[in-house]
């Protein structure tokens, strides 16, 4: 068995063409419990992924060689649905953020960033991807005035009444429960839920969200749990109480 295969630390690939930034970030990740590898181009990233698949990729948006972070995010997501992808870029443009999420990225952070903030995002993405601290199948998640049971696929009001759920509605609620406080694009939600073939049109997600809000919100006309994020999609905001 190779030394690399014995190393149980999560493998993170840092895709950054600027050498000092790349090496500084690698050192920071290594000091915080990760096994980090650097890549200065998309071509090298592809070779690394083939040779040593990562748990997560920190992906710079603007790279030399004609291949940008959007194309690489698509490549990574085609290889694995569980691989974490965080776009790290100097661009804070909202359109870039939305496009990044729609091409498969899990999160987006703009330069300059606080290293501890990036570390928190890495941990959150790895948890969602199935890391050691991921939600267990028996977990119940509070969503609005209801509890979602991820094991039995049931939605139960806090009063105890069971609320009927369609399969597509459960899948949406499960995605929201796994991604709290994170904007999720309509296209990504439609692509990820398995029943999209039955409602494969632009407003399918909006219609499902409307049905869900009627079940979980105290006031569906003024939703507080599943919120609309302008130009992005929807976001689940867990209750504070």
């Amino acid at each position: 068995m190779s030394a690399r295969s014995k190393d149980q630390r999560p493998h993170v690939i840092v895709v950054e063409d600027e050498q000092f930034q790349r090496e500084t970030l690698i050192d920071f990740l290594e000091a915080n419990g990760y096994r980090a590898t650097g890549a200065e181009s998309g071509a090298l990233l592809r070779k690394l992924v083939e040779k040593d698949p990562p748990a997560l990729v920190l992906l710079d948006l603007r790279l030399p060689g004609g291949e940008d972070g959007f194309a690489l995010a698509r490549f990574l997501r085609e290889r694995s649905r569980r691989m974490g992808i965080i776009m790290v870029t100097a661009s804070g443009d909202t359109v870039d953020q939305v496009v990044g999420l729609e091409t498969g990225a899990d999160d987006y952070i703009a330069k300059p960033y606080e290293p501890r903030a990036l570390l928190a995002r890495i941990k959150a993405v790895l948890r969602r991807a199935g890391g050691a601290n991921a939600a267990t199948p028996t977990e119940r998640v509070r969503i609005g005035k209801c509890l979602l049971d991820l094991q039995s696929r049931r939605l139960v009001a806090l009063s105890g009444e069971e609320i009927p759920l369609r399969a597509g509605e459960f899948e949406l609620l499960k995605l929201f429960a796994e991604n709290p406080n994170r904007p999720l694009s309509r296209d990504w939600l439609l692509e990820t839920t398995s029943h999209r073939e039955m409602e494969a049109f632009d407003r399918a997600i909006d219609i499902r969200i409307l049905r869900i809000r009627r079940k979980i919100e105290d006031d569906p006309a003024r939703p507080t749990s599943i919120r609309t994020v302008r130009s992005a999609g929807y976001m689940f905001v867990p209750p504070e109480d």
Side-chain angles (χ1 to χ4, degrees):
M1 182 180 292
S2 67
R4 179 177 293 165
S5 62
K6 290 180 180 178
D7 194 333
Q8 297 301 307
R9 295 176 298 167
H11 180 209
V12 177
I13 296 179
V14 178
V15 186
E16 166 62 63
D17 63 305
E18 209 287 317
Q19 182 178 358
F20 177 77
Q21 292 186 27
R22 184 175 65 250
E23 293 179 352
T24 299
L25 187 49
I26 288 173
D27 289 343
F28 174 75
L29 292 171
E30 291 277 350
N32 282 276
Y34 297 92
R35 178 168 63 87
T37 309
E40 65 269 19
S41 66
L44 183 53
L45 169 66
R46 291 172 183 269
K47 291 180 181 178
L48 286 173
V49 169
E50 294 287 344
K51 189 176 181 180
D52 187 11
L56 183 140
V57 177
L58 295 175
L59 185 58
D60 195 12
L61 186 60
R62 311 298 178 193
L63 294 167
E67 190 170 38
D68 62 19
F70 298 133
L72 292 172
R74 292 189 189 96
F75 158 74
L76 293 169
R77 188 53 69 226
E78 287 171 1
R79 286 192 58 86
S80 170
R81 300 299 304 177
R82 296 179 64 84
M83 185 187 302
I85 305 171
I86 299 178
M87 286 192 167
V88 184
T89 175
S91 173
D93 188 274
T94 302
V95 174
D96 278 352
Q97 295 180 30
V98 173
V99 173
L101 293 172
E102 289 180 346
T103 53
D106 295 290
D107 206 347
Y108 187 109
I109 189 166
K111 301 174 185 176
Y113 54 83
E114 166 59 43
R116 291 290 167 183
L118 177 61
L119 193 63
R121 291 179 185 236
I122 290 172
K123 291 178 180 178
V125 169
L126 289 177
R127 282 198 300 268
R128 292 197 294 264
N133 297 319
T136 63
T138 58
E139 184 177 355
R140 283 188 162 195
V141 181
R142 168 84 181 276
I143 300 182
K145 61 180 182 181
C146 301
L147 288 173
L148 181 69
D149 191 312
L150 298 177
Q151 183 178 39
S152 65
R153 301 172 67 93
R154 296 167 61 233
L155 184 68
V156 181
L158 296 179
S159 61
E161 174 192 2
E162 183 169 350
I163 300 172
L165 269 185
R166 300 184 183 189
E169 293 170 355
F170 170 77
E171 290 182 358
L172 272 180
L173 285 172
K174 184 173 183 290
L175 284 175
F176 283 124
E178 293 171 342
N179 297 275
N181 298 309
R182 174 189 165 206
L184 304 177
S185 75
R186 288 175 175 84
D187 287 347
W188 186 81
L189 289 169
L190 189 63
E191 177 187 346
T192 305
T193 52
S194 64
H195 292 263
R196 61 189 180 277
E197 300 86 356
M198 300 167 59
E199 300 179 283
F201 55 91
D202 291 344
R203 302 293 293 175
I205 291 298
D206 298 327
I207 291 171
R208 284 189 220 162
I209 295 294
L210 180 61
R211 290 199 302 254
I212 287 172
R213 282 172 170 167
R214 289 171 179 163
K215 297 177 180 182
I216 68 168
E217 300 282 0
D218 287 317
D219 184 355
R222 296 177 178 81
T224 59
S225 294
I226 306 296
R227 302 184 186 180
T228 301
V229 181
R230 188 175 180 181
S231 301
Y234 295 101
M235 180 170 66
F236 165 50
V237 180
E240 294 181 358
D241 56 342

